[in-house]
Amino acid sequence: MGTAILIIFGLLMLVVFFYSLSLLHLLINFRRSKKHKDSSQKWHFSDPFQIPFVTVQLPLYNDKPVVERLLRNISKLDYPHDKLQVQVLDDSTDDSAALTTEIISELRAEGFPIEHITRTHRKGFKAGALKAGMASAKGEFIAIFDSDFLPKPDWLKKTVPYFKDDSLGVVQTRWGHLNEDYSLLTRLQAFLLDYHFILEQTGRNFGKHFINFNGTAGIWRKSCILDAGNWEGDTLTEDLDLSYRAQLKGWNFKYLKEVVTPAELPITIEAARSQQFRWNKGAAENFQKNYRKVLKDKNATFGTRVHSFFHLLNSSFFFVVLLMGIISIPVLFLLDNPSYSEILTGMTVFILSPVIFFVTYYAAYRELHKDQQLSIFRFTGLFFTFFSIAMGLSLHNSIAILEGHFGKKSEFIRTPKFNLGNKSGAALKQPVKITFQLILEILLMLLFAFGIFSSFRIGNYSLLPFHLMMFFGFSYVVLASLNVELFRGKKSDLTGFQNL
């Protein structure tokens, strides 16, 4: 039994190790990209005949706190109005639709080319709304912004010119953050997203591997959408799905790291959970839907197939971490057994995995903050805090992942928007719900507390850092779910975190 437990634990560590190697390769690509001069052909908008017609789509659903900010911001886009169409794709069922209608009427009176498109149902959710808008979209190119995204006035002028390349299907820009300093939760979300947009998107794009349109802050060639089969609502991440279908059709994608489109991060644990559930389940659904197509694609290189595997499956590593955490408790009691010394010696190579994670995350963090004085101690504290809380969400995300892989369908739950910026005043209290999942998270918190206690009792500290991180992560998630305020207040008040 002990041998079987160690073999399973070792196989899980091997999976994480291979995943870390894929990230290391992306780091190499990222470093190489910094020395590469972009020679993409582009239109010159000094010639009005080179300015194409663009449709901007704004999918909305009960977004009253942010709708006016969105529409006022979009009206400032610096693009010829005779070559611009703005579609507000409004599926709202609350009183926000009246406010939207009022603002649109005002903007139309001012000469801004904006229209209000509503549906009496939510069939297909966001994908359905985008597809419905396609029927009347006049633009050769279609830019998409979620309700909390605020593109700068020159956004179209920085992205559209790249479509001079007829093989280009998508231009994706980097997400920025309007409220990164609201709380510890928002900072950790920004930490994760910055890693994706700095290292992963850049590394995959430079290596000519498949990347994904991120659902917003990007622009599509309309003919690319149609050629790939149009929007489909059979997964919770319609953006990832269409991205893979388009690239399997031979379309190229372009990622612009230097063009930043700021947006709002979820500020409550419930909102973050909801978003994480949708993203992770959608990724698992897309793995089941698209990876066989990638494997069979004769035009895909070996490197693209490998990176596509980890790209589509990366959310499933939450399940791997959860299994590792549970199995690590009996492993702790096997560590001092001389009968397993050879197996344990062979597993020591996997210590490289957390080192690779640390190095790649630091590279992305340093790139984003290269104009600031960085503290390795501050980054280390942020890194371990982030991974601890990510581990604390492993049960929640594992449920989403398993539902995705086994084909259980669920509704598209939008992420609520609050439009509070970095105002970290009174907490937004949410009703406490004692669910079966929360009870399991409490039990896991206690399990890892037992692991910590056992390390000191038997005098073996090999797994102590791992158990400490798992305990801290589940403690955070449990307390936050119970509305216990954690690390809130003004940036200067977060002394414990800031002094890391």
Side-chain angles (χ1 to χ4, degrees):
M1 177 63 73
T3 301
I5 290 173
L6 287 176
I7 289 175
I8 294 172
F9 191 69
L11 289 174
L12 293 172
M13 293 180 71
L14 181 64
V15 171
V16 174
F17 179 65
F18 282 137
Y19 175 56
S20 70
L21 290 180
S22 74
L23 297 180
L24 184 61
H25 185 249
L26 291 181
L27 174 60
I28 294 171
N29 284 347
F30 168 72
R31 299 291 297 178
R32 290 173 57 203
S33 72
K34 292 168 64 67
K35 302 176 182 178
H36 176 74
K37 184 178 180 180
D38 189 357
S39 58
S40 301
Q41 52 181 321
K42 292 188 289 185
W43 283 313
H44 296 285
F45 281 2
S46 56
D47 178 3
F49 292 102
Q50 294 191 38
I51 302 178
F53 202 107
V54 173
T55 294
V56 175
Q57 292 186 328
L58 308 174
L60 299 181
Y61 179 68
N62 297 349
D63 291 305
K64 188 173 183 178
V66 296
V67 65
E68 181 168 8
R69 182 183 67 180
L70 168 71
L71 298 179
R72 301 288 183 198
N73 183 79
I74 290 296
S75 70
K76 297 176 183 177
L77 284 174
D78 183 14
Y79 204 79
H81 285 187
D82 61 335
K83 294 187 177 181
L84 180 66
Q85 174 194 30
V86 177
Q87 294 180 326
V88 180
L89 309 175
D90 193 358
D91 285 352
S92 298
T93 57
D94 64 358
D95 61 351
S96 65
L99 175 61
T100 303
T101 299
E102 179 184 339
I103 299 170
I104 288 176
S105 297
E106 180 183 331
L107 293 176
R108 286 177 64 87
E110 296 172 358
F112 189 66
I114 187 170
E115 55 195 63
H116 197 185
I117 300 176
T118 60
R119 299 193 299 168
T120 57
H121 57 80
R122 286 193 74 205
K123 184 179 180 180
F125 305 110
K126 180 181 175 181
L130 295 172
K131 188 174 182 178
M134 285 282 289
S136 58
K138 303 174 184 177
E140 183 182 353
F141 305 100
I142 298 180
I144 301 171
F145 299 101
D146 283 351
S147 61
D148 56 323
F149 278 74
L150 302 177
K152 295 179 180 178
D154 61 353
W155 193 93
L156 290 173
K157 289 186 175 180
K158 286 186 174 180
T159 56
V160 175
Y162 287 94
F163 285 102
K164 185 177 182 180
D165 178 359
D166 292 333
S167 70
L168 190 63
V170 170
V171 172
Q172 175 67 49
T173 65
R174 176 162 63 91
W175 293 7
H177 317 297
L178 294 169
N179 59 336
E180 179 177 354
D181 291 327
Y182 182 87
S183 67
L184 175 62
L185 180 63
T186 55
R187 291 184 193 183
L188 296 180
Q189 291 175 86
F191 187 70
L192 171 62
L193 289 170
D194 290 341
Y195 179 77
H196 169 68
F197 282 101
I198 295 294
L199 188 132
E200 291 183 319
Q201 289 286 64
T202 303
R204 291 191 185 109
N205 198 217
F206 182 79
K208 302 187 184 304
H209 306 308
F210 289 180
I211 68 168
N212 59 299
F213 165 65
N214 293 102
T216 176
I219 181 168
W220 285 81
R221 188 186 296 270
K222 184 178 180 180
S223 59
C224 172
I225 296 176
L226 297 174
D227 183 51
N230 214 328
W231 296 101
E232 296 180 356
D234 57 344
T235 73
L236 291 180
T237 46
E238 73 294 323
D239 45 6
L240 180 60
D241 174 34
L242 185 58
S243 296
Y244 265 72
R245 286 189 281 120
Q247 288 168 110
L248 285 167
K249 280 280 190 173
W251 290 96
N252 294 323
F253 282 27
K254 178 76 175 178
Y255 175 61
L256 300 179
K257 176 170 64 72
E258 303 306 324
V259 180
V260 183
T261 311
E264 181 179 308
L265 295 161
I267 62 175
T268 66
I269 189 66
E270 291 81 7
R273 277 179 180 268
S274 174
Q275 187 180 74
Q276 285 286 309
F277 191 92
R278 188 176 74 247
W279 286 355
N280 287 294
K281 181 173 181 176
E285 290 174 327
N286 270 283
F287 179 85
Q288 295 297 330
K289 180 177 180 178
N290 291 309
Y291 191 68
R292 291 179 184 85
K293 300 174 186 176
V294 178
L295 278 177
K296 296 177 181 178
D297 184 15
K298 296 180 180 179
N299 296 319
T301 65
F302 174 76
T304 294
R305 294 176 187 180
V306 170
H307 280 290
S308 295
F309 177 85
F310 287 114
H311 185 195
L312 291 172
L313 204 62
N314 63 3
S315 68
S316 299
F317 284 90
F318 282 105
F319 184 56
V320 173
V321 169
L322 179 62
L323 290 178
M324 284 180 61
I326 295 171
I327 295 174
S328 69
I329 300 300
V331 167
L332 176 63
F333 292 93
L334 298 173
L335 290 176
D336 288 333
N337 191 325
S339 302
Y340 306 118
S341 58
E342 291 185 6
I343 298 176
L344 293 168
T345 300
M347 289 166 56
T348 56
V349 67
F350 299 132
I351 193 65
L352 289 173
S353 297
V355 174
I356 292 173
F357 287 133
F358 186 90
V359 170
T360 56
Y361 270 83
Y362 182 70
Y365 187 81
R366 185 176 181 84
E367 174 69 16
L368 193 61
H369 300 86
K370 57 188 174 184
D371 296 329
Q372 304 172 21
Q373 185 176 359
L374 296 180
S375 166
I376 189 65
F377 298 105
R378 171 175 162 74
F379 169 79
T380 301
L382 184 61
F383 175 84
F384 282 104
T385 303
F386 164 73
F387 269 92
S388 296
I389 295 178
M391 291 174 179
L393 288 167
S394 60
L395 175 64
H396 173 79
N397 290 340
S398 291
I399 294 171
I401 292 156
L402 292 175
E403 286 189 7
H405 283 302
F406 287 102
K408 181 180 178 181
K409 296 301 179 182
S410 58
E411 186 176 350
F412 184 107
I413 306 297
R414 62 174 286 279
T415 305
K417 316 296 191 302
F418 298 98
N419 194 13
L420 296 179
N422 284 317
K423 299 175 184 177
S424 49
L428 289 171
K429 293 292 185 181
Q430 302 288 323
V432 175
K433 297 179 181 179
I434 306 299
T435 63
F436 180 65
Q437 179 181 313
L438 180 58
I439 293 172
L440 289 179
E441 287 169 338
I442 293 171
L443 292 175
L444 285 167
M445 177 184 72
L446 296 176
L447 175 67
F448 296 116
F450 171 72
I452 295 168
F453 169 77
S454 299
S455 291
F456 287 99
R457 187 172 65 84
I458 66 178
N460 190 306
Y461 308 105
S462 303
L463 292 172
L464 181 60
F466 183 52
H467 289 158
L468 282 169
M469 292 174 70
M470 294 292 280
F471 173 75
F472 175 77
F474 277 103
S475 297
Y476 177 90
V477 169
V478 167
L479 293 174
S481 299
L482 295 174
N483 273 342
V484 177
E485 295 189 21
L486 300 169
F487 301 101
R488 286 189 49 79
K490 297 179 180 179
K491 183 175 180 179
S492 58
D493 293 334
L494 301 175
T495 52
F497 178 68
Q498 290 299 317
N499 290 333
L500 290 175

